[in-house]
Amino acid sequence: MQLYNDNPTINGLNKKIDESKQGEVFEAGAEQSLDPNHRKFYIESYGCQMNFSDSEIVASILRQENFGPTKNMEEADLILINTCSIREKAEDTVRKRLRVFDKIKEQKPGTLVGVLGCMAERLKKKLLDQEQLVDLVVGPDAYRDLPKLIGSADDGEKGVNVLLSREETYADISPLRLDSNGVSAFISIMRGCDNMCSFCVVPFTRGRERSRNAFSIVAEATDLYQRGYREVTLLGQNVDSYKWQNPESEQTVSFANLLEMVAQVHPDLRVRFSTSHPKDITDDVLYTMAKYENICKYIHLPVQSGNSRVLKLMNRTYDREWYKNKIDRIYEIMPDCAISSDVITGFCTETEEEHQDTLSILEYANYSMSYMFFYSERPGTLAARKYEDDIPLETKKRRLQEVIRLQNQISFQHNQKDIGKEYMVLIEGNSKKSDQDWKGRNTQNKMVVFPKKGNFMPGEYVKVKVLDATSATLKGEMV
Ligand code: SAH
Ligand code: SF4
Ligand code: F3S
């Protein structure tokens, strides 16, 4: 569901990501006809799902300007990279990609290269000094300005807009679904973040939190359903603080209200959401989830650390006990709900004992999976200004390995318990390994692989009995 693809550990798999697969290359369907002389753009996206979703907005804006998508960067007139700043490694990856684009520019002068997203926002004009072959630097709230900026870049001027907005939600722009499986789609419901976790760069790169018009969200979900999609994921850095006031009725729509509105679009449309901040997820949300079968029983509830002192330094505003109570509450209301997490090891001043607290909370919460990282200091954040980054890299990495090892065991056990159970699975497409097998997810967001039988198609629900499980996948057969 969520993808942080600057880091070698995803899905608790402890797997190295193939360098060539880092960043996603998109191609859109030819839904709309373009001028035969249209120019071509190529876009790569890094970081969180929000960025992938933004790339679809960018594609839609470019389409209006008679730019068509291409998967081949060599034939592109405009090369865009939608960047992430969350960890140093994420930025290193982007710089490496820029070296590749430089070569294309050498061969094909006139090709424009643009840096979008969080790294553009963090570095602003500095990026142009550091990366002389870059023509455009555009922050996450300035994509409407792209046509104008491309125009000035065509005239040989650098195009820069990194203004953050308090209002922009791109509510009226219908995203051009890129590289889509036609079954599941992401819907951005809010932008920015007001939380100020001390380690995190997002409030600086994405600006203040703002919620999108609830009716435009429901309209987008309805449109997706009518076009055959069967799963939507509502996206935001902190979805539980979604709050939109209808200017006409003065009525306020909370996240629980919004979930209900989207769930009512159609019982066959699955609803997921990400990410939840433990401090903001309310009983109302949990009861709404329990009430609707099509709201998936899965919550991504990042803990970051299991130790109260470290959590305080991180400015997460909850402590260990409070988090444990939240976990209890979720399992009380939805015993079959799967919970996943994000974990940071080696945050400033973290002791071995405090690290043990993180290990023990993984067990307490019984996460189905986690995204795990070692702490990477980000310039300008509260932690960078206030605390010394004093844990040696080897220690951070060793602690990370311990967290990964434990999470893998927990994920394995979590999945083993599913053997013998039956789940409704939404078919997404062929499994990675064989076109004789389907893959799809159950409500708990677990990937299920099973042999094809009958005339089913992606986008249809089938009942699957689980026969076997690894720490990452369930295997089964249709019943
Ligand atoms: N808004 C989401 C997460 C956004 S970033 C939330 O609040 O949960 C995704 C994850 O990256 C975070 O949950 C955190 O675990 C990790 N992360 C953020 N800043 C980091 C840093 N400086 N070093 C290492 N990991 C970091
Ligand atoms: Fe970053 Fe915290 Fe906001 Fe998540 S909630 S984006 S970790 S500041
Ligand atoms: Fe990265 Fe920006 Fe998302 S920093 S994680 S792309 S909000």
Side-chain angles (χ1 to χ4, degrees):
M1 151 179 306
Q2 227 170 344
L3 193 71
Y4 306 118
N5 52 5
D6 68 292
N7 195 293
T9 59
I10 53 163
N11 285 352
L13 281 174
N14 189 18
K15 234 190 191 172
K16 268 254 178 272
I17 297 178
D18 179 354
E19 185 73 37
S20 65
K21 288 202 188 120
Q22 288 200 338
E24 198 78 0
V25 181
F26 286 139
E27 189 167 53
E31 292 159 26
Q32 203 177 305
S33 59
L34 288 158
D35 188 312
N37 305 321
H38 70 267
R39 295 207 277 173
K40 289 190 173 142
F41 75 94
Y42 167 92
I43 187 163
E44 268 180 25
S45 308
Y46 293 81
C48 63
Q49 264 327 320
M50 292 291 295
N51 247 17
F52 285 73
S53 172
D54 281 1
S55 290
E56 298 187 332
I57 296 202
V58 168
S60 173
I61 293 170
L62 291 176
R63 188 70 163 228
Q64 298 293 319
E65 294 297 305
N66 205 31
F67 270 92
T70 172
K71 272 188 176 177
N72 177 3
M73 65 173 101
E74 267 133 40
E75 66 165 22
D77 303 285
L78 172 64
I79 298 178
L80 297 172
I81 181 160
N82 198 353
T83 61
C84 175
S85 285
I86 201 84
R87 286 165 289 274
E88 200 176 337
K89 197 155 173 282
E91 293 200 352
D92 293 345
T93 309
V94 168
R95 292 194 196 274
K96 268 191 223 142
R97 293 304 290 159
L98 287 173
R99 297 291 76 76
V100 175
F101 303 156
D102 288 350
K103 290 215 182 79
I104 293 184
K105 248 187 115 143
E106 271 166 32
Q107 287 157 13
K108 226 181 105 190
T111 310
L112 299 179
V113 172
V115 179
L116 314 179
C118 291
M119 210 172 151
E121 192 60 52
R122 192 178 83 73
L123 293 164
K124 305 186 168 66
K125 281 210 172 88
K126 248 189 276 171
L127 197 61
L128 291 177
D129 303 331
Q130 294 166 4
E131 302 288 343
Q132 268 129 38
L133 294 178
V134 166
D135 305 285
L136 299 161
V137 176
V138 190
D141 286 346
Y143 297 144
R144 285 182 205 266
D145 205 23
L146 265 168
K148 200 182 97 213
L149 296 168
I150 292 168
S152 37
D154 282 336
D155 295 337
E157 261 174 64
K158 303 271 177 187
V160 183
N161 187 343
V162 287
L163 286 176
L164 285 172
S165 156
R166 278 174 177 259
E167 285 97 35
E168 182 62 272
T169 57
Y170 300 111
D172 56 316
I173 296 182
S174 165
L176 200 69
R177 302 291 163 187
L178 296 164
D179 211 35
S180 156
N181 60 7
V183 176
S184 38
F186 294 93
I187 303 182
S188 220
I189 64 162
M190 61 200 297
R191 300 181 70 81
C193 183
D194 283 350
N195 278 331
M196 288 291 172
C197 301
S198 65
F199 50 81
C200 185
V201 77
V202 172
F204 303 93
T205 62
R206 294 255 162 189
R208 298 305 297 269
E209 181 183 293
R210 66 221 97 121
S211 296
R212 175 178 167 190
N213 180 321
F215 299 123
S216 77
I217 296 168
V218 173
E220 192 172 328
T222 308
D223 174 61
L224 285 163
Y225 179 78
Q226 284 164 354
R227 285 160 55 200
Y229 286 81
R230 289 295 174 264
E231 182 176 82
V232 293
T233 302
L234 309 180
L235 283 184
Q237 292 300 346
N238 182 11
V239 287
D240 300 273
S241 67
Y242 175 89
K243 201 169 154 198
W244 181 73
Q245 192 159 10
N246 185 344
E248 273 144 41
S249 65
E250 298 275 298
Q251 169 212 16
T252 305
V253 179
S254 69
F255 182 59
N257 302 145
L258 179 73
L259 257 184
E260 182 147 35
M261 287 161 74
V262 179
Q264 286 172 346
V265 166
H266 198 283
D268 282 345
L269 183 70
R270 275 187 170 175
V271 186
R272 299 184 183 276
F273 54 89
S274 185
T275 300
S276 291
H277 193 300
K279 79 173 162 60
D280 293 315
I281 189 162
T282 58
D283 275 5
D284 270 357
V285 169
L286 302 179
Y287 284 122
T288 306
M289 288 178 75
K291 182 171 160 194
Y292 289 91
E293 188 158 347
N294 60 327
I295 304 182
C296 291
K297 303 299 174 279
Y298 169 69
I299 302 176
H300 186 57
L301 197 73
V303 68
Q304 313 298 359
S305 162
N307 176 268
S308 295
R309 188 190 71 90
V310 175
L311 285 168
K312 195 162 176 36
L313 290 183
M314 287 177 162
N315 201 21
R316 287 292 285 185
T317 71
Y318 54 85
D319 63 12
R320 181 182 171 88
E321 281 315 303
W322 199 94
Y323 186 90
K324 283 168 71 178
N325 285 333
K326 198 47 96 178
I327 295 285
D328 293 348
R329 193 76 186 127
I330 295 171
Y331 288 142
E332 209 176 292
I333 296 174
M334 290 172 288
D336 289 331
C337 190
I339 307 175
S340 63
S341 194
D342 291 349
V343 173
I344 298 177
T345 66
F347 187 64
C348 314
T349 72
E350 182 190 69
T351 66
E352 284 304 325
E353 240 184 339
E354 290 166 340
H355 163 62
Q356 291 298 323
D357 282 347
T358 297
L359 294 173
S360 69
I361 213 152
L362 296 189
E363 291 192 282
Y364 188 87
N366 190 30
Y367 297 126
S368 57
M369 64 107 155
S370 292
Y371 297 97
M372 298 154 282
F373 316 98
F374 64 79
Y375 174 59
S376 164
E377 186 179 80
R378 307 312 293 132
T381 54
L382 234 78
R385 283 181 280 141
K386 273 169 63 182
Y387 314 123
E388 193 189 336
D389 180 14
D390 59 350
I391 307 299
L393 187 60
E394 308 88 83
T395 309
K396 287 180 181 173
K397 285 188 172 168
R398 194 250 307 142
R399 289 180 190 168
L400 176 61
Q401 282 316 311
E402 289 174 12
V403 169
I404 291 170
R405 201 177 316 127
L406 179 62
Q407 181 58 59
N408 278 343
Q409 285 168 14
I410 297 170
S411 298
F412 182 71
Q413 284 158 8
H414 203 288
N415 289 350
Q416 288 286 310
K417 284 201 191 112
D418 289 336
I419 294 177
K421 290 187 193 160
E422 290 175 4
Y423 287 106
M424 288 311 284
V425 174
L426 174 62
I427 303 176
E428 287 176 21
N430 289 339
S431 90
K432 245 186 234 155
K433 286 188 191 140
S434 158
D435 61 7
Q436 303 300 304
D437 292 340
W438 289 125
K439 69 164 183 196
R441 279 166 211 277
N442 69 3
T443 182
Q444 297 186 325
N445 203 39
K446 290 186 185 178
M447 190 56 87
V448 189
V449 173
F450 52 98
K452 291 181 182 177
K453 205 167 77 182
N455 288 327
F456 292 98
M457 295 294 285
E460 290 186 277
Y461 290 95
V462 287
K463 198 173 231 181
V464 177
K465 182 171 183 171
V466 180
L467 301 174
D468 197 7
T470 66
S471 64
T473 323
L474 305 180
K475 289 178 191 141
E477 65 178 18
M478 280 158 65
V479 291

